[in-house]
Amino acid sequence: MRPLRRHATTLILVVLAAAAAVVLLVLDRGAVSTDEAERRKKHLFEVWRPDEITEVTVTLASPGAPQTARLTRGEVNDAGQRPWSVEIDGQRYPADEPAVDQLLGTLEFATAERRVTAEASDPAALGLASPRLSIAVAMGPRRERLLLGGSAPTPPGAVYAEVAGRGVFVITKQLAAALDVPPDRFRSRSFVPYLAAELAGLTLEGEGGARRFSRAPWGGGRGAGFRFAEGSPEGSGVRVSAPAIDGVLSALGRLQAEEFLSEEEARQALASDGPRVTLTLLPSDPSARPGVIDLGGDCPDRPDHVVAVRREPTRAAACVPASVLEPLTEDASRFVDLALVGAPLDEVAEVKLAAGERSLELARAGSEWHLRAPEDRPVPTETGRALVQAILDVRATRLLPSASDPGALGLVPPRATLRVLSTPPESPGEGEPRERIETLEIGAEQEGVVHVRRLEDGAVAEVPAPAAGALLPSEVSLRSMQVLDFARDQVSALRVERPGLVQRLRRTGDGAWELLEPRGEGLAADDALADELAEQLGGLKAERWVAADAGQGYGLGAPRLVIEAELASTPEPGGGAAARPARVELGALAGAGSFARAGKGGPVFVAPPALEAAAGRLLLRRDVFVVALQEIARVTLVPGEGKPVVVEASPGGFTVAGAGDQASATAAAASVRDALADLRAEGAVALGKPEKHHGLSPPRLRLTVDLARPQAAPAGEGGATPPRRAPGSITIAIGAGDAFRGTNVFYARRDGVDAVYAIAQSRVRPLLEAAGVAGAAGVR
């Protein structure tokens, strides 16, 4: 006991010193350091420690009871964050984190315009006795409080503000507006209770019918891993189209509350017709309750919004964008996956096709491809991608009922098999991505169709025989994608044949093109269109290779279009020269492109749509309506129903003859002048006389252009100048409107040119409007 007594005094002093240090530390936490005071002397709050803020209370004065939002910061979660929650009217909700961050940032950097002296700081006079806004901040041991009162005289829109313990200040209109946030705005806008990755399934009922989806065992990101749930009419377990279900999941992501509603407001909005669709979300967590959301009904005072009522797991009502309804009301048939292979190209790692003793095996190595069988060698990246993409592009016309007899469909035994191994980026609910293996059994051809069974979901698909060719092993699919390779300048002649029409062109010595067929008054070749066709042909690449021999299939027994090119003569070893021909035949459509072959018996490939676009049009010059402005003496516009309008050229510009309102008439004349200089056709649409649908008998508008002197051929196009109906004049007729190659056009015809053309409506409209404006301007 003596040693203890000997050191008792020392021990007591140590304990007292430690206690004093703790008390000093606690007290010091609330004190303002010299550095803080200096650094924040211009700010409203002399201390701001973000990590110590645990609670913020915002109270907004209102005609009724004050509105209050109490923001509370939670503990650190699994993501290392401290999420905020908000309490409004006794109900607690997740907080809108960006809104909270914005408020805290505004408070941290808030500064005053000036300080109000103590003598002038009468709370009642400054509106601070009954403040319009109160913000209280709990920051460690400190309690900060900010009040906003009435308007200050300067600067414009300024407001009085009081900071507890510091005094009264004047703040700017902008700062006051940034702080004046309605309490409801701190409530999270997220309306859907679960993320897509947290779902085990979902159902849609209402418009579009009953659609039930569940997670599939093959996994995959977002919509790639869903199938129809048990009992679905489409077939239990049948794979759901990834793009279709992605539309639903994207809609859930956009289902954000623009404005919260009371239950009574929501009930009234849904009272007449009820919800258009009810969404039920089934979470993967078995302990979590399903989410149930009703959607439909116009949102009060918010066009393009509908009412959403969340019934489970918590209740809420809000206005949400009406655009979310479109994917949620799609018919069930739109969700059936008609693609044979579900993996996207960038996830495919291996492909193996086998039919009897023939096989073809391809594997990816980074961005490159390698052939494993029937031989071991690298494959050009373009060729490997094209082969795999061709397989992924095959789609069924329909899925057969599950009770169909496989033997009767040619699937017992299958003619061939296809195995695709892919690596999905994620598998919900699992730690590591896993390989996905899809196997197809390909049946024998039966009356132009092939039946294919997807082992992944057991569905049997009906596929057109030409498209099914991509599922069979064939070394032709590994050919170079370059079909033809020559420069356009090497082409000396072109011939394009389609049913009822042959076009022949020959390049002249100066590089221009001469039209040999068809013959007709005023017809001439368009150099740019002919050069474009020669370029498309010379650089022709296959989108994919299909078969070694067309036989009578693929529409190549009677091609829709035959393109022939004669290439410039090349010297031969023994002297002399020989012209090299090039020929491409286009058969049946294959998606956007066409089945095709080079020569008369070459392998079948899919030609890009650009080739047919270049060869399938009339290669006639398109500048037949363009008039040189300096050669115009007079233009007479005759509307279909109306008085003629005459526009005359003069040294001072174009004018409308006999116009009363010169301002309007001058503008009309200028628009006529500009339109005639830019009246270039999109292309010729028909040879010979116009048909009824062209609307040229009688025309919508007729223009007669009188020339001051004989017109020279427009520069830059080459070819013969189209003859005129009579020397010194040109007549143009504008007919019906239509669409041509994706452009809104008017049909048009010029005298002396034996063809009907399409001109963009934007080029013709100034002429139509000018005739109307000039007529209204008082033409006599």
Side-chain angles (χ1 to χ4, degrees):
M1 292 294 291
R2 273 181 200 166
L4 184 60
R5 287 195 206 98
R6 188 184 312 133
H7 299 291
T9 302
T10 303
L11 290 173
I12 292 171
L13 290 175
V14 169
V15 170
L16 290 174
V22 170
V23 171
L24 184 61
L25 178 63
V26 170
L27 293 176
D28 190 56
R29 283 182 59 202
V32 182
S33 69
T34 303
D35 287 345
E36 282 180 313
E38 179 62 26
R39 189 172 63 250
R40 298 190 56 82
K41 62 184 179 181
K42 295 183 179 180
H43 293 81
L44 290 181
F45 294 100
E46 59 181 351
V47 173
W48 195 263
R49 299 165 185 169
D51 292 341
E52 296 184 17
I53 297 174
T54 56
E55 186 176 306
V56 179
T57 302
V58 179
T59 302
L60 184 66
S62 63
Q67 301 176 32
T68 299
R70 180 170 169 265
L71 296 158
T72 307
R73 202 171 197 175
E75 299 298 324
V76 178
N77 59 19
D78 294 340
Q81 304 295 322
R82 295 177 62 193
W84 288 88
S85 62
V86 59
E87 182 181 324
I88 300 174
D89 295 333
Q91 297 292 319
R92 183 155 292 279
Y93 311 98
D96 186 88
E97 298 283 341
V100 177
D101 289 344
Q102 185 172 349
L103 174 66
L104 295 178
T106 302
L107 292 172
E108 179 179 4
F109 298 104
T111 58
E113 286 291 290
R114 63 182 181 274
R115 181 186 289 271
V116 178
T117 63
E119 294 77 10
S121 299
D122 178 7
L126 303 183
L128 293 167
S130 300
R132 72 187 201 190
L133 177 69
S134 168
I135 301 175
V137 181
M139 190 185 331
R142 295 183 64 89
R143 296 296 181 266
E144 304 288 354
R145 185 177 180 83
L146 171 67
L147 306 178
L148 297 192
S151 300
T154 59
V159 172
Y160 289 111
E162 181 180 359
V163 180
R166 296 203 70 198
V168 179
F169 303 86
V170 173
I171 63 173
T172 64
K173 173 183 177 181
Q174 292 76 18
L175 176 57
L179 294 171
D180 196 359
V181 182
D184 199 49
R185 183 63 189 84
F186 294 108
R187 188 172 168 183
S188 173
R189 305 289 104 182
S190 297
F191 201 76
V192 178
Y194 304 113
L195 300 175
E198 298 172 332
L199 296 179
L202 61 107
T203 66
L204 298 167
E205 295 178 290
E207 286 187 31
R211 292 137 293 167
R212 298 187 288 275
F213 312 119
S214 62
R215 283 284 179 189
W218 50 81
R222 287 183 64 82
F226 279 87
R227 59 183 175 180
F228 284 96
E230 185 175 350
S232 296
E234 295 73 26
S236 299
V238 169
R239 196 170 70 205
V240 172
S241 165
I245 200 71
D246 270 347
V248 171
L249 299 180
S250 295
L252 299 187
R254 300 195 310 274
L255 215 159
Q256 299 282 315
E258 299 291 333
E259 177 186 352
F260 287 100
L261 303 173
S262 68
E263 296 235 0
E264 178 59 23
E265 289 174 317
R267 187 190 64 77
Q268 291 180 4
L270 294 174
S272 57
D273 300 321
R276 291 179 57 184
V277 65
T278 296
L279 168 69
T280 303
L281 305 174
L282 306 174
S284 302
D285 183 354
S287 64
R289 292 156 56 193
V292 182
I293 300 173
D294 292 329
L295 290 158
D298 295 332
C299 208
D301 303 322
R302 275 190 174 265
D304 301 323
H305 286 73
V306 294
V307 172
V309 176
R310 188 177 65 218
R311 292 190 275 128
E312 296 288 347
T314 57
R315 296 192 66 84
C319 294
V320 300
S323 60
V324 302
L325 280 173
E326 184 176 350
L328 302 181
T329 54
E330 291 277 15
D331 187 78
S333 61
R334 299 290 298 272
F335 290 91
V336 176
D337 191 1
L338 296 177
L340 299 189
V341 177
L345 177 63
D346 58 357
E347 294 177 12
V348 175
E350 295 179 11
V351 173
K352 182 176 181 180
L353 304 94
E357 296 183 356
R358 291 184 300 123
S359 68
L360 189 151
E361 190 171 349
L362 195 67
R364 185 199 296 271
S367 61
E368 304 297 321
W369 292 91
H370 194 92
L371 185 66
R372 291 176 176 170
E375 58 181 313
D376 192 295
R377 63 177 174 86
V379 171
T381 300
E382 184 181 42
T383 302
R385 287 179 62 87
L387 184 152
V388 177
Q389 188 63 62
I391 293 171
L392 303 185
D393 287 342
V394 179
R395 295 179 61 82
T397 53
R398 65 186 181 114
L399 298 186
L400 273 60
S402 57
S404 301
D405 179 9
L409 300 176
L411 287 165
V412 181
R415 174 173 48 148
T417 59
L418 167 65
R419 179 180 180 272
V420 177
L421 184 148
S422 59
T423 53
E426 60 175 303
S427 297
E430 298 184 11
E432 293 290 334
R434 55 180 179 150
E435 293 181 343
R436 177 183 182 183
I437 298 176
E438 299 179 70
T439 302
L440 305 181
E441 294 179 343
I442 299 98
E445 181 178 341
Q446 297 178 333
E447 299 180 351
V449 300
V450 172
H451 295 101
V452 179
R453 178 160 50 195
R454 295 189 306 222
L455 297 191
E456 186 173 69
D457 63 351
V460 176
E462 186 176 277
V463 181
L471 308 176
L472 303 175
S474 173
E475 289 192 57
V476 71
S477 58
L478 296 175
R479 291 171 61 104
S480 168
M481 308 310 290
Q482 193 75 48
V483 180
L484 298 174
D485 189 10
F486 52 81
R488 75 178 187 186
D489 294 340
Q490 291 180 257
V491 180
S492 58
L494 286 168
R495 183 180 186 276
V496 182
E497 180 180 358
R498 69 187 193 202
L501 177 66
V502 173
Q503 297 186 82
R504 288 195 304 120
L505 297 86
R506 178 176 61 200
R507 197 186 290 275
T508 62
D510 61 358
W513 288 91
E514 177 187 1
L515 182 67
L516 304 178
E517 281 189 82
R519 292 291 186 180
E521 185 182 14
L523 301 184
D526 188 297
D527 289 350
L529 294 182
D531 281 341
E532 183 182 346
L533 174 56
E535 187 165 4
Q536 287 286 342
L537 198 61
L540 179 60
K541 285 186 175 183
E543 291 197 339
R544 64 180 173 92
W545 290 97
V546 177
D549 184 13
Q552 293 300 310
Y554 306 101
L556 291 166
R560 292 183 302 111
L561 201 61
V562 178
I563 312 161
E564 294 179 319
E566 186 176 296
L567 306 185
S569 302
T570 54
E572 293 192 335
R580 293 185 293 132
R583 175 187 174 97
V584 175
E585 300 174 351
L586 299 185
L589 293 175
S594 304
F595 290 113
R597 63 182 170 191
K600 293 187 177 181
V604 182
F605 63 94
V606 174
L611 178 61
E612 183 166 356
R617 56 192 171 192
L618 289 166
L619 304 175
L620 302 180
R621 61 183 300 175
R622 295 165 290 170
D623 64 346
V624 296
F625 302 97
V626 178
V627 183
L629 296 181
Q630 68 273 17
E631 297 174 1
I632 298 176
R634 181 182 298 102
V635 181
T636 304
L637 300 91
V638 183
E641 295 181 2
K643 295 181 179 180
V645 176
V646 179
V647 178
E648 296 180 334
S650 66
F654 282 62
T655 59
V656 177
D661 184 347
Q662 285 300 322
S664 297
T666 300
S671 67
V672 170
R673 175 199 63 200
D674 295 343
L676 289 174
D678 191 37
L679 205 60
R680 182 181 180 83
E682 298 298 303
V685 297
L687 297 170
K689 301 297 182 184
E691 299 179 13
K692 184 177 180 180
H693 73 277
H694 293 144
L696 291 163
S697 300
R700 179 190 301 257
L701 176 68
R702 187 182 300 278
L703 295 88
T704 300
V705 183
D706 295 320
L707 304 176
R709 57 182 182 274
Q711 183 190 31
E717 286 280 350
T721 302
R724 297 187 287 271
R725 181 192 58 172
S729 68
I730 297 170
T731 300
I732 298 171
I734 306 297
D738 205 342
F740 175 74
R741 296 181 178 271
T743 300
N744 292 328
V745 298
F746 287 116
Y747 292 120
R749 187 176 176 89
R750 174 188 161 169
D751 64 322
V753 180
D754 200 16
V756 177
Y757 286 79
I759 306 177
Q761 290 187 9
S762 59
R763 297 176 188 264
V764 176
R765 194 170 290 113
L767 296 172
L768 299 172
E769 292 175 350
V773 169
V779 177
R780 293 186 294 273

